[in-house]
Amino acid sequence: MSTDQQPVPRDRPARLTVGVVGAGRVGPVLAASLQLAGHRPVAVSGVSDASRRRAAQLLPDVPLMPPAEVLRSADLVLLTVPDDTLPGLVTGLAETGAVRPGQLLVHTSGRYGAKVLDAALRAGALPLALHPAMTFTGTPVDVQRLAGCSFGVTAPDELRLAAEALVIEMGGEPEWIAEEMRPLYHAALALGSNHLVTLVAQSMELLRTAGVEAPDRMLGPLLGASLDNALRSGDAALTGPVARGDAGTVAAHVAELRRHSPGTVAGYLAMARTTADRALAHGLLKPELAESLLGVLADASTGATGTGGTGGTEGND
C-alpha cells in the first residue's frame, strides 16, 4: 500500500472519553459506534424508562448521570436531544459552568449547524454538528447501518478535519453542509424520508381495503425498484397515469379515494400536481394531455365531479 493511502495520525482524534446527553434512539448508537473505534463511553443521561433500557442495552456498564455530570466526565459529548430542546440545553449547560474548555461538543440535529452551540463555544468548547442521514430504531442493528451512512457535517474550518475523522470512525461518509444551508438540507431529508413513510403506510392501508392480504409483500419489489430508478435517473424515472396524462384514470382514483379513504385525497392531489409539473417540464407528459389532466386535478381540488376524459394509455402501475 502506498504511503498516501495510509491514515495520517494527526488527522485522527486521540482516543476520547465519550458522554451522551439524551439517550434517545441516536445517542447510544453513536456512542456504541465510537466505542468500536476505540473511544470509551463513560457517562450517559436518560430520563425515561425507555431511554434507560436503551442505554443499558447499547452501553452496558456505562453509568447514568445528570447532564452536567456527563459533561464533567467526558472529552467528547454527544447532545442527542430533540431540536426544540437543543438551544435551551446548550445555554443552560454553558451558564452553569458544565462546559469545559477544549471539550468536543457534538449535536446531531439536522436542523441546526454549529452556531446553536455558540454559548458553549464562548465557554471554550469545540462545536461540531454531525447529523446522520438515517432513521434509527435505537437498537444494535443501527450500529451496522451506520456503515456508508452520510453525515451532514457543519463545523468551524479549524475543526473540519476532526469532524470528518469522527464520522469516518463511525463508518459514515462526511458531507459538508454550510451553516446557512442546514434548514434546507434538513427539509430535503424530511421530504424524502418522513413523507415516504406516510405514503407507504397510506398505500398499505388502501391495499388492505382492496382485499390484498400481504400489502407489504406486494409493495416491496415495486417500491424498491421505484426508489432505485429515482436515485439513478431522477425525473426520467417518472411513470404511472399522471406522467402519462391518463386523466380518466386519475379521476377514477380520486373518486375511489373519496369513497374509501377521504383523508388521502388531499395528499394524492398534491403529489399528482407536483408529478404533472415535473413530468411536463422534463418532456415526459405531452402538453395536449396535460391540459385535460390538470383540469381533472383542479376540479377534484374544488370538489367538482367532472372526469376530464375517458382515460388514456393503459399501464400496470
Side-chain angles (χ1 to χ4, degrees):
M1 181 180 292
S2 64
T3 55
D4 60 356
Q5 292 176 301
Q6 298 287 347
V8 181
R10 63 182 173 82
D11 289 345
R12 292 172 58 85
R15 302 305 88 185
L16 302 167
T17 54
V18 179
V20 179
V21 175
R25 296 182 179 183
V26 179
V29 170
L30 297 188
S33 181
L34 289 169
Q35 186 173 36
L36 290 175
H39 301 289
R40 184 165 60 92
V42 294
V44 59
S45 72
V47 178
S48 69
D49 290 340
S51 65
R52 289 170 179 265
R53 287 194 300 269
R54 193 177 294 117
Q57 180 184 28
L58 285 158
L59 302 172
D61 302 322
V62 175
L64 286 161
M65 300 181 181
E69 290 298 319
V70 173
L71 267 72
R72 294 188 182 101
S73 303
D75 304 316
L76 164 64
V77 178
L78 302 171
L79 302 179
T80 51
V81 298
D83 289 356
D84 289 348
T85 303
L86 183 61
L89 173 66
V90 174
T91 300
L93 290 171
E95 289 179 348
T96 58
V99 178
R100 295 188 287 109
Q103 184 173 51
L104 285 165
L105 210 56
V106 177
H107 80 72
T108 58
S109 166
R111 172 183 172 185
Y112 294 110
K115 286 190 178 299
V116 73
L117 300 173
D118 275 355
L121 174 64
R122 290 190 291 272
L126 306 177
L128 306 175
L130 307 180
H131 174 249
M134 188 182 80
T135 58
F136 285 78
T137 64
T139 64
V141 69
D142 293 336
V143 178
Q144 282 72 44
R145 287 178 176 172
L146 285 177
C149 170
S150 292
F151 279 65
V153 178
T154 305
D157 287 343
E158 60 271 23
L159 296 177
R160 181 165 181 162
L161 287 178
E164 292 179 345
L166 285 171
V167 170
I168 291 169
E169 286 197 322
M170 287 186 282
E173 297 288 341
E175 187 73 40
W176 193 257
I177 308 296
E179 180 78 33
E180 65 274 14
M181 290 298 174
R182 291 291 290 209
L184 179 61
Y185 153 80
H186 196 225
L189 294 180
L191 183 67
S193 176
N194 303 159
H195 296 173
L196 176 62
V197 174
T198 301
L199 290 171
V200 173
Q202 285 186 337
S203 181
M204 291 177 66
E205 288 174 357
L206 292 169
L207 287 171
R208 288 192 190 96
T209 302
V212 175
E213 293 184 359
D216 53 342
R217 188 169 64 232
M218 176 175 282
L219 284 174
L222 174 64
L223 298 185
S226 296
L227 177 60
D228 184 64
N229 291 341
L231 292 174
R232 292 174 182 270
S233 304
D235 286 303
L238 285 170
T239 185
V242 172
R244 291 192 298 267
D246 292 347
T249 299
V250 172
H253 287 178
V254 174
E256 286 301 295
L257 292 176
R258 287 197 193 283
R259 177 183 174 190
H260 294 286
S261 183
T264 64
V265 173
Y268 180 96
L269 292 174
M271 291 303 297
R273 282 192 293 269
T274 301
T275 299
D277 289 343
R278 298 186 75 90
L280 188 60
H282 287 79
L284 301 174
L285 174 59
K286 296 178 181 179
E288 60 269 23
L289 297 177
E291 183 176 358
S292 179
L293 174 68
L294 293 174
V296 166
L297 296 176
D299 288 345
S301 66
T302 59
T305 57
T307 63
T310 58
T313 306
E314 291 296 325
N316 57 11
D317 55 355

